[in-house]
Amino acid sequence: MATKKSRYTLYLDESQTHKYNPASHKNEQYHFCMAGIIIADDDYAKLEKSVNILKRTIWPDFQKPEQIILHQMLILDAEKGRLDPIKYPEYAKFNKRVERKKIYSELKKCSWIIK
């Protein structure tokens, strides 16, 4: 009797950070990171549903919040006052601590799927 083999997909993302040195006017202390997550294809629909619920909760005033791409760097830029709110109006709210706490709290609710 043959057993069904599960299929998985690996999702990768990279990030690069640096510190700006005002004395030398150069970016220094570069750090590069790559992270991945493996999702069972059978679980993808549950994860997508969970993430879309998160987006609707975080961005209830937007017509199609499911189409907004989650970017940690834009949340950080809003926190640090570096965000261009004209270019990224959906992230402008994250200049408030309460909004940042809300998104991280909601993200924890999604994490049960990937455990």
Short mmCIF file of all heavy atoms in Angstrom, two decimals, residues 36-94:
data_model
loop_
_atom_site.label_atom_id
_atom_site.label_comp_id
_atom_site.label_asym_id
_atom_site.label_seq_id
_atom_site.Cartn_x
_atom_site.Cartn_y
_atom_site.Cartn_z
N GLY A 36 14.09 31.51 6.52
CA GLY A 36 13.11 30.78 5.73
C GLY A 36 12.11 30.08 6.62
O GLY A 36 12.32 29.90 7.82
N ILE A 37 11.05 29.71 5.99
CA ILE A 37 10.02 28.94 6.67
C ILE A 37 9.52 27.89 5.69
O ILE A 37 9.36 28.16 4.50
CB ILE A 37 8.87 29.84 7.18
CG1 ILE A 37 7.86 29.03 7.98
CG2 ILE A 37 8.20 30.58 6.05
CD1 ILE A 37 6.86 29.87 8.73
N ILE A 38 9.32 26.70 6.18
CA ILE A 38 8.81 25.61 5.36
C ILE A 38 7.35 25.40 5.75
O ILE A 38 7.03 25.21 6.92
CB ILE A 38 9.60 24.32 5.57
CG1 ILE A 38 11.07 24.54 5.16
CG2 ILE A 38 8.98 23.16 4.80
CD1 ILE A 38 11.98 23.39 5.53
N ILE A 39 6.48 25.46 4.76
CA ILE A 39 5.05 25.29 4.98
C ILE A 39 4.58 24.06 4.22
O ILE A 39 4.86 23.91 3.03
CB ILE A 39 4.25 26.52 4.47
CG1 ILE A 39 4.74 27.81 5.11
CG2 ILE A 39 2.76 26.33 4.66
CD1 ILE A 39 4.42 27.96 6.56
N ALA A 40 3.87 23.21 4.92
CA ALA A 40 3.24 22.07 4.23
C ALA A 40 2.19 22.63 3.28
O ALA A 40 1.40 23.50 3.66
CB ALA A 40 2.60 21.13 5.25
N ASP A 41 2.21 22.16 2.05
CA ASP A 41 1.26 22.67 1.07
C ASP A 41 -0.18 22.51 1.54
O ASP A 41 -1.03 23.34 1.24
CB ASP A 41 1.47 21.99 -0.28
CG ASP A 41 2.79 22.41 -0.94
OD1 ASP A 41 3.48 23.31 -0.42
OD2 ASP A 41 3.13 21.82 -1.99
N ASP A 42 -0.45 21.46 2.31
CA ASP A 42 -1.80 21.24 2.84
C ASP A 42 -2.20 22.31 3.86
O ASP A 42 -3.38 22.51 4.10
CB ASP A 42 -1.90 19.86 3.52
CG ASP A 42 -1.76 18.72 2.52
OD1 ASP A 42 -1.92 18.96 1.31
OD2 ASP A 42 -1.47 17.60 2.96
N ASP A 43 -1.22 23.00 4.46
CA ASP A 43 -1.50 24.03 5.47
C ASP A 43 -1.53 25.44 4.90
O ASP A 43 -1.87 26.39 5.60
CB ASP A 43 -0.45 23.98 6.58
CG ASP A 43 -0.57 22.75 7.43
OD1 ASP A 43 -1.67 22.16 7.50
OD2 ASP A 43 0.45 22.37 8.04
N TYR A 44 -1.18 25.58 3.63
CA TYR A 44 -1.06 26.93 3.04
C TYR A 44 -2.37 27.71 3.12
O TYR A 44 -2.37 28.88 3.50
CB TYR A 44 -0.56 26.86 1.60
CG TYR A 44 -0.37 28.23 1.02
CD1 TYR A 44 0.80 28.94 1.24
CD2 TYR A 44 -1.38 28.85 0.29
CE1 TYR A 44 0.98 30.21 0.75
CE2 TYR A 44 -1.21 30.14 -0.21
CZ TYR A 44 -0.04 30.81 0.02
OH TYR A 44 0.13 32.08 -0.46
N ALA A 45 -3.48 27.08 2.80
CA ALA A 45 -4.76 27.79 2.81
C ALA A 45 -5.11 28.29 4.20
O ALA A 45 -5.62 29.41 4.37
CB ALA A 45 -5.88 26.89 2.27
N LYS A 46 -4.82 27.50 5.24
CA LYS A 46 -5.08 27.92 6.62
C LYS A 46 -4.21 29.13 6.99
O LYS A 46 -4.68 30.07 7.62
CB LYS A 46 -4.83 26.78 7.61
CG LYS A 46 -5.84 25.67 7.56
CD LYS A 46 -5.63 24.69 8.69
CE LYS A 46 -4.40 23.85 8.43
NZ LYS A 46 -4.17 22.79 9.41
N LEU A 47 -2.96 29.07 6.58
CA LEU A 47 -2.04 30.17 6.87
C LEU A 47 -2.48 31.44 6.14
O LEU A 47 -2.51 32.52 6.73
CB LEU A 47 -0.62 29.80 6.48
CG LEU A 47 0.44 30.88 6.71
CD1 LEU A 47 0.54 31.26 8.18
CD2 LEU A 47 1.79 30.42 6.18
N GLU A 48 -2.82 31.31 4.88
CA GLU A 48 -3.26 32.47 4.09
C GLU A 48 -4.51 33.10 4.72
O GLU A 48 -4.60 34.33 4.85
CB GLU A 48 -3.53 32.05 2.65
CG GLU A 48 -3.96 33.21 1.77
CD GLU A 48 -4.20 32.78 0.34
OE1 GLU A 48 -4.76 31.69 0.12
OE2 GLU A 48 -3.82 33.55 -0.56
N LYS A 49 -5.45 32.27 5.13
CA LYS A 49 -6.66 32.77 5.77
C LYS A 49 -6.33 33.53 7.05
O LYS A 49 -6.85 34.61 7.31
CB LYS A 49 -7.62 31.61 6.07
CG LYS A 49 -8.91 32.04 6.72
CD LYS A 49 -9.81 30.86 6.99
CE LYS A 49 -11.07 31.31 7.71
NZ LYS A 49 -11.93 30.19 8.06
N SER A 50 -5.43 32.97 7.84
CA SER A 50 -5.02 33.59 9.09
C SER A 50 -4.34 34.94 8.85
O SER A 50 -4.61 35.92 9.55
CB SER A 50 -4.09 32.64 9.85
OG SER A 50 -3.74 33.15 11.09
N VAL A 51 -3.46 35.01 7.88
CA VAL A 51 -2.77 36.26 7.55
C VAL A 51 -3.75 37.29 7.03
O VAL A 51 -3.68 38.48 7.38
CB VAL A 51 -1.61 36.02 6.57
CG1 VAL A 51 -1.05 37.33 6.03
CG2 VAL A 51 -0.52 35.19 7.22
N ASN A 52 -4.72 36.88 6.23
CA ASN A 52 -5.71 37.83 5.72
C ASN A 52 -6.60 38.36 6.84
O ASN A 52 -6.99 39.54 6.81
CB ASN A 52 -6.54 37.19 4.61
CG ASN A 52 -5.76 37.12 3.30
OD1 ASN A 52 -4.83 37.90 3.08
ND2 ASN A 52 -6.12 36.19 2.45
N ILE A 53 -6.91 37.53 7.82
CA ILE A 53 -7.66 38.01 8.99
C ILE A 53 -6.82 39.06 9.73
O ILE A 53 -7.33 40.11 10.14
CB ILE A 53 -8.05 36.84 9.92
CG1 ILE A 53 -9.13 36.00 9.26
CG2 ILE A 53 -8.51 37.36 11.28
CD1 ILE A 53 -9.41 34.67 9.96
N LEU A 54 -5.54 38.78 9.88
CA LEU A 54 -4.63 39.74 10.50
C LEU A 54 -4.66 41.06 9.76
O LEU A 54 -4.80 42.13 10.37
CB LEU A 54 -3.20 39.17 10.51
CG LEU A 54 -2.09 40.19 10.77
CD1 LEU A 54 -1.91 40.41 12.26
CD2 LEU A 54 -0.80 39.74 10.15
N LYS A 55 -4.53 41.02 8.45
CA LYS A 55 -4.51 42.25 7.65
C LYS A 55 -5.82 43.02 7.78
O LYS A 55 -5.81 44.26 7.88
CB LYS A 55 -4.22 41.93 6.19
CG LYS A 55 -2.79 41.47 5.95
CD LYS A 55 -2.60 41.11 4.49
CE LYS A 55 -1.18 40.73 4.17
NZ LYS A 55 -1.00 40.45 2.73
N ARG A 56 -6.94 42.33 7.78
CA ARG A 56 -8.24 43.02 7.93
C ARG A 56 -8.37 43.64 9.32
O ARG A 56 -8.98 44.69 9.48
CB ARG A 56 -9.39 42.06 7.65
CG ARG A 56 -9.53 41.73 6.16
CD ARG A 56 -10.82 41.00 5.84
NE ARG A 56 -10.89 39.67 6.42
CZ ARG A 56 -10.45 38.55 5.85
NH1 ARG A 56 -9.90 38.61 4.65
NH2 ARG A 56 -10.57 37.39 6.45
N THR A 57 -7.78 42.99 10.32
CA THR A 57 -7.81 43.52 11.69
C THR A 57 -6.92 44.75 11.81
O THR A 57 -7.30 45.74 12.43
CB THR A 57 -7.34 42.43 12.69
OG1 THR A 57 -8.21 41.30 12.57
CG2 THR A 57 -7.36 42.95 14.11
N ILE A 58 -5.75 44.70 11.21
CA ILE A 58 -4.78 45.79 11.31
C ILE A 58 -5.18 46.99 10.44
O ILE A 58 -4.99 48.13 10.82
CB ILE A 58 -3.37 45.29 10.90
CG1 ILE A 58 -2.88 44.21 11.85
CG2 ILE A 58 -2.37 46.43 10.83
CD1 ILE A 58 -2.78 44.64 13.30
N TRP A 59 -5.71 46.72 9.27
CA TRP A 59 -6.06 47.78 8.33
C TRP A 59 -7.55 47.77 7.98
O TRP A 59 -7.92 47.61 6.81
CB TRP A 59 -5.23 47.64 7.05
CG TRP A 59 -3.78 47.94 7.24
CD1 TRP A 59 -3.22 49.15 7.52
CD2 TRP A 59 -2.68 47.03 7.11
NE1 TRP A 59 -1.87 49.04 7.60
CE2 TRP A 59 -1.50 47.76 7.35
CE3 TRP A 59 -2.58 45.68 6.82
CZ2 TRP A 59 -0.23 47.18 7.30
CZ3 TRP A 59 -1.33 45.10 6.79
CH2 TRP A 59 -0.16 45.84 7.02
N PRO A 60 -8.44 47.97 8.95
CA PRO A 60 -9.88 47.91 8.67
C PRO A 60 -10.37 49.04 7.77
O PRO A 60 -11.43 48.91 7.14
CB PRO A 60 -10.53 47.99 10.06
CG PRO A 60 -9.54 48.74 10.88
CD PRO A 60 -8.18 48.30 10.35
N ASP A 61 -9.62 50.14 7.69
CA ASP A 61 -10.06 51.29 6.90
C ASP A 61 -9.66 51.19 5.42
O ASP A 61 -10.07 52.03 4.63
CB ASP A 61 -9.47 52.58 7.48
CG ASP A 61 -9.94 52.81 8.91
OD1 ASP A 61 -11.01 52.29 9.28
OD2 ASP A 61 -9.22 53.49 9.66
N PHE A 62 -8.88 50.17 5.08
CA PHE A 62 -8.46 50.02 3.68
C PHE A 62 -9.41 49.08 2.96
O PHE A 62 -9.89 48.10 3.53
CB PHE A 62 -7.02 49.50 3.61
CG PHE A 62 -6.00 50.56 3.89
CD1 PHE A 62 -5.71 50.94 5.19
CD2 PHE A 62 -5.36 51.21 2.85
CE1 PHE A 62 -4.78 51.93 5.46
CE2 PHE A 62 -4.43 52.21 3.10
CZ PHE A 62 -4.15 52.57 4.41
N GLN A 63 -9.69 49.41 1.70
CA GLN A 63 -10.66 48.66 0.92
C GLN A 63 -10.23 47.21 0.68
O GLN A 63 -11.04 46.31 0.75
CB GLN A 63 -10.91 49.36 -0.41
CG GLN A 63 -12.18 48.91 -1.07
CD GLN A 63 -12.76 50.00 -1.95
OE1 GLN A 63 -12.12 50.98 -2.25
NE2 GLN A 63 -13.99 49.80 -2.36
N LYS A 64 -8.96 46.98 0.39
CA LYS A 64 -8.46 45.63 0.11
C LYS A 64 -7.21 45.37 0.94
O LYS A 64 -6.10 45.26 0.40
CB LYS A 64 -8.17 45.46 -1.38
CG LYS A 64 -9.41 45.56 -2.25
CD LYS A 64 -9.07 45.35 -3.69
CE LYS A 64 -10.33 45.48 -4.53
NZ LYS A 64 -10.04 45.30 -5.95
N PRO A 65 -7.35 45.24 2.26
CA PRO A 65 -6.17 45.06 3.09
C PRO A 65 -5.41 43.77 2.80
O PRO A 65 -4.21 43.69 3.06
CB PRO A 65 -6.73 45.06 4.51
CG PRO A 65 -8.17 44.68 4.36
CD PRO A 65 -8.58 45.22 3.03
N GLU A 66 -6.08 42.78 2.23
CA GLU A 66 -5.41 41.51 1.90
C GLU A 66 -4.30 41.72 0.88
O GLU A 66 -3.39 40.90 0.78
CB GLU A 66 -6.41 40.48 1.36
CG GLU A 66 -7.52 40.13 2.30
CD GLU A 66 -8.70 41.10 2.24
OE1 GLU A 66 -8.68 42.07 1.47
OE2 GLU A 66 -9.65 40.89 2.99
N GLN A 67 -4.36 42.80 0.12
CA GLN A 67 -3.36 43.06 -0.91
C GLN A 67 -2.14 43.81 -0.38
O GLN A 67 -1.15 43.96 -1.09
CB GLN A 67 -3.99 43.84 -2.07
CG GLN A 67 -5.04 43.03 -2.80
CD GLN A 67 -5.68 43.80 -3.94
OE1 GLN A 67 -5.45 44.99 -4.13
NE2 GLN A 67 -6.51 43.11 -4.71
N ILE A 68 -2.20 44.26 0.86
CA ILE A 68 -1.06 44.96 1.46
C ILE A 68 0.01 43.93 1.81
O ILE A 68 -0.28 42.90 2.41
CB ILE A 68 -1.49 45.75 2.71
CG1 ILE A 68 -2.50 46.84 2.33
CG2 ILE A 68 -0.27 46.36 3.39
CD1 ILE A 68 -3.13 47.54 3.51
N ILE A 69 1.23 44.21 1.43
CA ILE A 69 2.34 43.32 1.73
C ILE A 69 2.92 43.71 3.08
O ILE A 69 3.21 44.88 3.33
CB ILE A 69 3.42 43.38 0.63
CG1 ILE A 69 2.83 42.90 -0.70
CG2 ILE A 69 4.64 42.55 1.01
CD1 ILE A 69 3.73 43.09 -1.89
N LEU A 70 3.06 42.73 3.96
CA LEU A 70 3.63 42.99 5.28
C LEU A 70 5.14 43.17 5.17
O LEU A 70 5.83 42.30 4.64
CB LEU A 70 3.34 41.80 6.22
CG LEU A 70 1.90 41.63 6.65
CD1 LEU A 70 1.72 40.29 7.35
CD2 LEU A 70 1.47 42.76 7.56
N HIS A 71 5.63 44.31 5.68
CA HIS A 71 7.06 44.59 5.68
C HIS A 71 7.46 45.13 7.05
O HIS A 71 7.05 46.22 7.45
CB HIS A 71 7.42 45.64 4.63
CG HIS A 71 7.46 45.13 3.24
ND1 HIS A 71 8.40 44.22 2.80
CD2 HIS A 71 6.68 45.39 2.18
CE1 HIS A 71 8.18 43.95 1.53
NE2 HIS A 71 7.14 44.64 1.13
N GLN A 72 8.27 44.36 7.75
CA GLN A 72 8.77 44.79 9.06
C GLN A 72 9.55 46.10 8.94
O GLN A 72 9.46 46.96 9.81
CB GLN A 72 9.63 43.69 9.67
CG GLN A 72 10.48 44.13 10.84
CD GLN A 72 9.69 44.68 12.02
OE1 GLN A 72 8.56 44.31 12.23
NE2 GLN A 72 10.30 45.57 12.77
N MET A 73 10.33 46.26 7.88
CA MET A 73 11.15 47.45 7.74
C MET A 73 10.29 48.72 7.67
O MET A 73 10.66 49.75 8.21
CB MET A 73 12.05 47.36 6.50
CG MET A 73 13.01 48.51 6.37
SD MET A 73 14.06 48.73 7.83
CE MET A 73 15.45 47.77 7.37
N LEU A 74 9.11 48.63 7.06
CA LEU A 74 8.24 49.80 6.98
C LEU A 74 7.64 50.13 8.35
O LEU A 74 7.44 51.30 8.68
CB LEU A 74 7.15 49.59 5.93
CG LEU A 74 7.66 49.50 4.49
CD1 LEU A 74 6.53 49.16 3.54
CD2 LEU A 74 8.34 50.79 4.08
N ILE A 75 7.38 49.11 9.15
CA ILE A 75 6.92 49.35 10.52
C ILE A 75 8.02 50.04 11.31
O ILE A 75 7.77 51.02 12.02
CB ILE A 75 6.49 48.02 11.18
CG1 ILE A 75 5.28 47.43 10.46
CG2 ILE A 75 6.19 48.25 12.67
CD1 ILE A 75 4.92 46.02 10.88
N LEU A 76 9.24 49.56 11.16
CA LEU A 76 10.38 50.17 11.84
C LEU A 76 10.61 51.60 11.36
O LEU A 76 10.88 52.50 12.17
CB LEU A 76 11.63 49.32 11.63
CG LEU A 76 12.90 49.81 12.32
CD1 LEU A 76 12.73 49.78 13.84
CD2 LEU A 76 14.08 48.94 11.91
N ASP A 77 10.50 51.82 10.06
CA ASP A 77 10.66 53.18 9.53
C ASP A 77 9.62 54.13 10.12
O ASP A 77 9.93 55.27 10.44
CB ASP A 77 10.57 53.18 8.00
CG ASP A 77 11.82 52.65 7.33
OD1 ASP A 77 12.86 52.48 8.02
OD2 ASP A 77 11.77 52.40 6.10
N ALA A 78 8.39 53.66 10.26
CA ALA A 78 7.35 54.49 10.87
C ALA A 78 7.70 54.80 12.32
O ALA A 78 7.54 55.94 12.78
CB ALA A 78 5.99 53.79 10.79
N GLU A 79 8.17 53.80 13.04
CA GLU A 79 8.57 53.99 14.44
C GLU A 79 9.68 55.03 14.57
O GLU A 79 9.65 55.87 15.47
CB GLU A 79 9.03 52.66 15.03
CG GLU A 79 9.51 52.77 16.46
CD GLU A 79 10.05 51.46 17.01
OE1 GLU A 79 10.06 50.44 16.30
OE2 GLU A 79 10.45 51.46 18.19
N LYS A 80 10.65 54.98 13.67
CA LYS A 80 11.81 55.86 13.75
C LYS A 80 11.57 57.22 13.08
O LYS A 80 12.47 58.06 13.07
CB LYS A 80 13.03 55.20 13.09
CG LYS A 80 13.42 53.87 13.71
CD LYS A 80 13.95 54.04 15.10
CE LYS A 80 14.42 52.70 15.65
NZ LYS A 80 14.80 52.76 17.04
N GLY A 81 10.39 57.41 12.49
CA GLY A 81 10.10 58.69 11.83
C GLY A 81 10.70 58.82 10.45
O GLY A 81 10.80 59.93 9.92
N ARG A 82 11.09 57.71 9.83
CA ARG A 82 11.72 57.73 8.51
C ARG A 82 10.76 57.36 7.38
O ARG A 82 11.14 57.36 6.22
CB ARG A 82 12.89 56.75 8.48
CG ARG A 82 13.98 57.02 9.47
CD ARG A 82 15.12 56.05 9.31
NE ARG A 82 14.69 54.67 9.50
CZ ARG A 82 15.27 53.81 10.33
NH1 ARG A 82 16.31 54.18 11.05
NH2 ARG A 82 14.82 52.58 10.45
N LEU A 83 9.54 57.01 7.72
CA LEU A 83 8.58 56.53 6.71
C LEU A 83 8.05 57.68 5.87
O LEU A 83 7.72 58.74 6.39
CB LEU A 83 7.42 55.83 7.41
CG LEU A 83 6.37 55.25 6.46
CD1 LEU A 83 6.87 53.93 5.90
CD2 LEU A 83 5.06 55.05 7.17
N ASP A 84 7.93 57.44 4.58
CA ASP A 84 7.27 58.40 3.69
C ASP A 84 5.79 58.04 3.68
O ASP A 84 5.37 57.09 3.02
CB ASP A 84 7.86 58.28 2.29
CG ASP A 84 7.23 59.23 1.28
OD1 ASP A 84 6.19 59.85 1.59
OD2 ASP A 84 7.78 59.35 0.17
N PRO A 85 4.95 58.80 4.42
CA PRO A 85 3.52 58.45 4.52
C PRO A 85 2.74 58.64 3.22
O PRO A 85 1.66 58.07 3.07
CB PRO A 85 3.01 59.38 5.62
CG PRO A 85 3.96 60.51 5.64
CD PRO A 85 5.28 59.98 5.20
N ILE A 86 3.29 59.39 2.31
CA ILE A 86 2.64 59.55 0.99
C ILE A 86 2.81 58.26 0.20
O ILE A 86 1.87 57.76 -0.42
CB ILE A 86 3.24 60.75 0.21
CG1 ILE A 86 3.15 62.04 1.01
CG2 ILE A 86 2.58 60.88 -1.16
CD1 ILE A 86 1.75 62.51 1.32
N LYS A 87 3.99 57.70 0.25
CA LYS A 87 4.29 56.48 -0.49
C LYS A 87 3.70 55.24 0.18
O LYS A 87 3.26 54.30 -0.48
CB LYS A 87 5.81 56.32 -0.63
CG LYS A 87 6.25 55.23 -1.56
CD LYS A 87 7.76 55.27 -1.77
CE LYS A 87 8.20 54.18 -2.71
NZ LYS A 87 9.65 54.20 -2.93
N TYR A 88 3.69 55.23 1.53
CA TYR A 88 3.21 54.08 2.30
C TYR A 88 2.17 54.50 3.34
O TYR A 88 2.41 54.39 4.54
CB TYR A 88 4.38 53.37 3.00
CG TYR A 88 5.46 52.90 2.07
CD1 TYR A 88 6.68 53.56 1.98
CD2 TYR A 88 5.26 51.77 1.27
CE1 TYR A 88 7.67 53.12 1.12
CE2 TYR A 88 6.23 51.33 0.41
CZ TYR A 88 7.45 52.00 0.34
OH TYR A 88 8.42 51.55 -0.52
N PRO A 89 1.01 54.99 2.90
CA PRO A 89 0.01 55.48 3.86
C PRO A 89 -0.49 54.40 4.82
O PRO A 89 -0.85 54.69 5.96
CB PRO A 89 -1.12 56.00 2.98
CG PRO A 89 -0.96 55.28 1.67
CD PRO A 89 0.53 55.07 1.52
N GLU A 90 -0.48 53.15 4.38
CA GLU A 90 -0.96 52.06 5.23
C GLU A 90 -0.05 51.80 6.42
O GLU A 90 -0.46 51.18 7.41
CB GLU A 90 -1.17 50.78 4.41
CG GLU A 90 0.08 50.17 3.83
CD GLU A 90 0.55 50.76 2.50
OE1 GLU A 90 0.19 51.91 2.16
OE2 GLU A 90 1.28 50.06 1.79
N TYR A 91 1.20 52.26 6.34
CA TYR A 91 2.16 52.04 7.42
C TYR A 91 2.32 53.25 8.34
O TYR A 91 2.98 53.16 9.37
CB TYR A 91 3.52 51.62 6.85
CG TYR A 91 3.53 50.17 6.45
CD1 TYR A 91 3.17 49.78 5.17
CD2 TYR A 91 3.86 49.19 7.37
CE1 TYR A 91 3.14 48.45 4.81
CE2 TYR A 91 3.84 47.85 7.02
CZ TYR A 91 3.48 47.49 5.73
OH TYR A 91 3.44 46.17 5.39
N ALA A 92 1.73 54.39 7.99
CA ALA A 92 1.90 55.61 8.78
C ALA A 92 1.42 55.44 10.21
O ALA A 92 1.99 56.00 11.14
CB ALA A 92 1.17 56.78 8.10
N LYS A 93 0.39 54.63 10.42
CA LYS A 93 -0.17 54.43 11.76
C LYS A 93 0.81 53.80 12.73
O LYS A 93 0.65 53.90 13.94
CB LYS A 93 -1.43 53.58 11.67
CG LYS A 93 -1.16 52.14 11.26
CD LYS A 93 -2.38 51.32 10.89
CE LYS A 93 -3.34 51.16 11.98
NZ LYS A 93 -4.55 50.44 11.62
N PHE A 94 1.85 53.14 12.22
CA PHE A 94 2.80 52.45 13.08
C PHE A 94 3.82 53.38 13.74
O PHE A 94 4.73 52.93 14.43
CB PHE A 94 3.49 51.31 12.34
CG PHE A 94 2.51 50.24 11.92
CD1 PHE A 94 2.22 50.03 10.59
CD2 PHE A 94 1.84 49.49 12.87
CE1 PHE A 94 1.30 49.07 10.20
CE2 PHE A 94 0.93 48.52 12.50
CZ PHE A 94 0.65 48.31 11.16
#
